[in-house]
Amino acid sequence: MSIENDLKKDGIKVIQEVDTLSVTLIAKFVAERLSSTFLFYDLKYSDLFIKISRIPMYIASMPEGMAEANYFYKNSSIYFKEGLSIEEMQTYAVHEFIHHLQESKDKKNVLYRLGLCDFTNFKVYGMGLNEAAVQYLASKALRNETETVKYYGITFPSNSPNCYPLLCNLMAQIVYLTGEPILVDSTLGTNDKFKSKLIYLLGEKNFYTIQNNFDKILYAEEKIVQYSNKIKDDSLSEKQIVKCAYGIGSSKKKITDTYIATQKLILSSYFEHFLENIHSIYEIETFRKQLYGYKDYIGTLQDDTSFNTFYINAMAKLEEKETLLTGSTANLVPYRRNFLSILWQKCISLWNNKQMEKI
């Protein structure tokens, strides 16, 4: 199948090539942002500028709901939706160029790996995880501020509110536990270091469940776009419209349920394993501080107190650990009370006085 037919299948119709001046401006912007953000990875500005300048770039018409820019790996080209300003093209090009950096092809020019995503099996694995990683890096490079947003009934912090917000939030939770350098290394270098680290921290079974859940969220979001575009067709029968509406509702519920399940699995698999392997006062303090800091990353449904319950139960177990190690709980209790005091103040809009009295 030709490149033109592949593009047509995705609803992409090329209008014209991006002019040389615009390509130069895009290359300068992306190269500067990536090289100055991930200094430890030693991305050289001059090398990046040359690589970006050589990528074929096109202006194209695209279906409603499709991303404003798309990297097409079959011809290593970037397609921008018509009507974008040069500033918007520069911004969207960061994500797409990271895809260009991470692709691995064999001698026949067949893609077999894209960062965290594996194409070697019959089914593609890790697409959601990789898109989240790429956008996480792109948001860092763009210096996006973190803000509180709400999607599908979930309120959560995100520095990517308009592009894979839920997936980026889950990725931020994971990076809080693994550290950022190893994610950058595996995303740009296309290796298994990040995967191996997660398997070590969370367990192999849990890693693959999380990986699959990222894919579920990604594909459910794509389904919503497809149903939303289809429902606009005036020729649809009432039965078809109802079917599309049901599909949208079902996909939204799937996203919400999968996100909450994934967040709980990340939280429990990491901290329960950590708790079981505490053998010193230093590890107790590390655990306590890390779990307390995790609250700044979680997403919540209305009246959701699951993290608070998990925290209180973990502190009770931690107290038992400290008692075994020192024979005293004097150092633990005051801190625990202080945490609850701070937490209640921050959650006052969600908890009423009666609920706090019960706690």
Side-chain angles (χ1 to χ4, degrees):
M1 184 180 289
S2 67
I3 296 297
E4 290 75 14
N5 287 335
D6 284 335
L7 292 171
K8 186 177 180 180
K9 183 179 179 182
D10 290 335
I12 299 174
K13 184 179 180 181
V14 175
I15 297 175
Q16 64 185 51
E17 288 189 46
V18 176
D19 64 88
T20 304
L21 176 59
S22 295
V23 170
T24 301
L25 292 174
I26 291 170
K28 288 178 65 176
F29 178 84
V30 177
E32 188 281 324
R33 288 305 177 98
L34 290 178
S35 61
S36 63
T37 301
F38 306 110
L39 295 173
F40 69 91
Y41 199 71
D42 196 28
L43 293 170
K44 293 181 172 56
Y45 172 87
S46 57
D47 293 341
L48 292 176
F49 177 80
I50 292 171
K51 286 182 180 180
I52 302 166
S53 299
R54 291 175 176 173
I55 299 176
M57 301 183 194
Y58 302 92
I59 305 296
S61 62
M62 300 181 189
E64 188 70 27
M66 181 175 279
E68 279 70 17
N70 287 273
Y71 180 73
F72 205 64
Y73 68 85
K74 289 187 178 181
N75 63 351
S76 299
S77 301
I78 298 176
Y79 296 85
F80 296 99
K81 183 176 288 187
E82 61 178 326
L84 295 178
S85 66
I86 183 61
E87 291 79 12
E88 290 172 323
M89 292 169 69
Q90 288 173 324
T91 298
Y92 294 125
V94 176
H95 181 109
E96 306 313 320
F97 178 65
I98 293 175
H99 278 315
H100 178 72
L101 277 180
Q102 63 178 188
E103 69 176 9
S104 296
K105 295 181 178 180
D106 60 20
K107 294 180 180 179
K108 295 182 179 180
N109 204 39
V110 176
L111 184 73
Y112 65 87
R113 184 79 182 262
L114 193 67
L116 309 181
C117 183
D118 186 0
F119 288 82
T120 57
N121 297 303
F122 178 76
K123 180 181 177 181
V124 177
Y125 291 97
M127 183 67 78
L129 205 61
N130 190 60
E131 286 296 342
V134 170
Q135 185 55 31
Y136 177 91
L137 267 58
S139 294
K140 292 281 291 187
L142 292 168
R143 283 65 152 169
N144 290 348
E145 295 289 335
T146 297
E147 57 184 280
T148 300
V149 295
K150 186 175 183 178
Y151 287 98
Y152 311 113
I154 306 167
T155 301
F156 58 97
S158 177
N159 66 350
S160 181
N162 300 314
C163 183
Y164 304 126
L166 284 168
L167 290 179
C168 284
N169 169 263
L170 289 173
M171 181 56 71
Q173 293 184 37
I174 292 173
V175 171
Y176 175 72
L177 305 177
T178 64
E180 191 174 279
I182 196 168
L183 174 70
V184 177
D185 192 351
S186 287
T187 303
L188 300 181
T190 305
N191 60 60
D192 286 329
K193 294 178 184 178
F194 181 69
K195 174 182 176 180
S196 298
K197 180 77 170 184
L198 280 183
I199 289 176
Y200 171 75
L201 292 175
L202 309 179
E204 185 172 16
K205 181 180 178 181
N206 292 329
F207 166 76
Y208 285 111
T209 298
I210 290 167
Q211 177 181 260
N212 290 336
N213 285 353
F214 269 70
D215 285 341
K216 286 180 182 179
I217 292 173
L218 178 67
Y219 298 142
E221 289 182 331
E222 291 177 353
K223 279 290 185 183
I224 290 174
V225 172
Q226 293 170 7
Y227 283 124
S228 297
N229 286 335
K230 189 175 182 180
I231 209 169
K232 295 175 184 177
D233 188 347
D234 294 334
S235 64
L236 288 185
S237 66
E238 184 176 340
K239 183 177 180 180
Q240 290 173 315
I241 292 174
V242 170
K243 184 177 180 181
C244 287
Y246 175 80
I248 292 173
S250 177
S251 297
K252 287 182 177 180
K253 185 178 186 306
K254 186 174 186 179
I255 291 171
T256 300
D257 293 345
T258 305
Y259 171 90
I260 295 298
T262 306
Q263 178 174 260
K264 287 181 178 179
L265 183 57
I266 295 170
L267 174 67
S268 62
S269 58
Y270 177 82
F271 286 103
E272 286 176 0
H273 179 263
F274 190 166
L275 188 60
E276 290 174 1
N277 292 278
I278 288 177
H279 302 292
S280 69
I281 296 300
Y282 172 78
E283 289 172 332
I284 286 177
E285 290 301 318
T286 301
F287 177 93
R288 185 162 46 203
K289 291 176 182 178
Q290 193 170 35
L291 179 55
Y292 178 72
Y294 193 82
K295 67 177 174 42
D296 295 330
Y297 295 86
I298 62 171
T300 57
L301 297 172
Q302 186 175 2
D303 299 324
D304 180 13
T305 61
S306 57
F307 175 79
N308 307 322
T309 301
F310 183 91
Y311 182 91
I312 292 170
N313 290 337
M315 287 300 101
K317 294 177 182 178
L318 203 62
E319 184 174 320
E320 294 175 4
K321 286 275 186 179
E322 188 174 45
T323 300
L324 290 174
L325 290 170
T326 68
S328 171
T329 61
N331 293 328
L332 180 64
V333 175
Y335 189 95
R336 191 173 112 192
R337 288 174 180 168
N338 184 53
F339 166 79
L340 291 176
S341 176
I342 294 172
L343 190 61
W344 284 337
Q345 290 176 13
K346 291 188 175 183
C347 296
I348 193 67
S349 60
L350 298 178
W351 291 352
N352 58 36
N353 292 330
K354 185 177 180 179
Q355 288 175 311
M356 289 192 288
E357 289 172 358
K358 289 182 178 179
I359 294 174

